[in-house]
């Protein structure tokens, strides 16, 4: 069997991938038996390719499984930890935009009782009154 390419595996569905994986495993076991019995050297060098192909099949199967799980949990309230975005520890613990924008009761009272003052200035050049806010 020739080396398996990942894009070709991604095009296959789960049943085809599992079938290919079984074929590769049987081929690997045959090659290992030939190695023990003293087979040809060209067969022995094929063991590495078969092992790598098995790993590619496992990788594609796992990626498809994770993609389906992400779709399943997309609308849910909680998501498993391994499906959440990794980011950094600091970013995961940082306040969300909503939490950062919240104000305390004390701040609400301050804003209600001491709102920003509005003042008026006369513009010297155009003789118009500008209304602004004091900072």
């Amino acid at each position: 069997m020739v080396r398996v390419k990942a894009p070709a595996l991604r095009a296959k569905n789960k049943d085809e991938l599992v079938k290919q994986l079984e074929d590769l495993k049987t081929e690997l076991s045959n090659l290992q038996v030939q190695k023990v019995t003293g087979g040809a050297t060209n067969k022995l060098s094929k063991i590495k390719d078969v092992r790598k192909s098995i790993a590619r099949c496992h990788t594609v199967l796992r990626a498809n499984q994770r993609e389906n799980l992400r779709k399943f949990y997309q609308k849910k309230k909680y998501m498993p930890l391994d499906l959440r975005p990794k980011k950094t520890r600091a970013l995961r613990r940082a306040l969300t935009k909503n939490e950062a924008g919240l104000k305390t009761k004390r701040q609400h009272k301050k804003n209600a009782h001491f709102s920003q003052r509005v003042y008026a200035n006369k513009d010297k050049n155009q003789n118009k009154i500008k209304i602004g806010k004091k900072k």
Side-chain angles (χ1 to χ4, degrees):
M1 202 175 245
V2 293
R3 188 179 301 175
V4 180
K5 305 281 186 195
L9 290 175
R10 286 189 190 99
K12 295 182 178 183
N13 63 15
K14 184 180 176 184
D15 298 330
E16 293 170 343
L17 281 171
V18 171
K19 173 111 173 65
Q20 178 142 14
L21 190 60
E22 290 172 7
D23 294 343
L24 287 168
K25 284 183 177 180
T26 55
E27 185 179 354
L28 181 64
S29 64
N30 291 338
L31 289 170
Q32 287 171 337
V33 167
Q34 288 177 1
K35 178 182 175 185
V36 171
T37 59
T41 55
N42 62 347
K43 296 277 188 183
L44 299 181
S45 63
K46 218 174 159 188
I47 290 176
K48 180 181 175 184
D49 290 339
V50 174
R51 288 179 63 227
K52 300 291 182 185
S53 296
I54 289 172
R56 281 189 198 96
C57 283
H58 279 298
T59 302
V60 170
L61 275 169
R62 179 76 175 138
N64 291 345
Q65 183 183 30
R66 287 175 65 86
E67 185 181 334
N68 291 336
L69 283 171
R70 275 203 176 90
K71 287 178 186 172
F72 176 75
Y73 282 107
Q74 198 169 22
K75 303 280 192 264
K76 307 281 187 209
K77 184 174 181 182
Y78 297 111
M79 186 182 286
L81 293 176
D82 61 330
L83 295 179
R84 294 179 193 172
K86 179 84 167 111
K87 298 184 183 177
T88 61
R89 191 167 193 264
L91 283 174
R92 289 194 305 266
R93 280 154 180 70
L95 293 176
T96 63
K97 287 183 180 180
N98 181 42
E99 290 170 341
L102 293 177
K103 293 183 180 175
T104 60
K105 281 185 181 180
R106 183 182 176 113
Q107 189 63 43
H108 280 294
K109 285 180 185 176
K110 269 189 179 180
N111 291 347
H113 293 104
F114 305 102
S115 58
Q116 210 167 26
R117 291 187 223 147
V118 177
Y119 63 95
N121 283 343
K122 187 174 181 182
D123 191 5
K124 294 177 182 175
N125 300 339
Q126 298 172 348
N127 290 332
K128 291 183 181 175
I129 295 178
K130 279 184 163 180
I131 297 177
K133 294 181 179 177
K134 188 174 183 181
K135 292 182 181 178

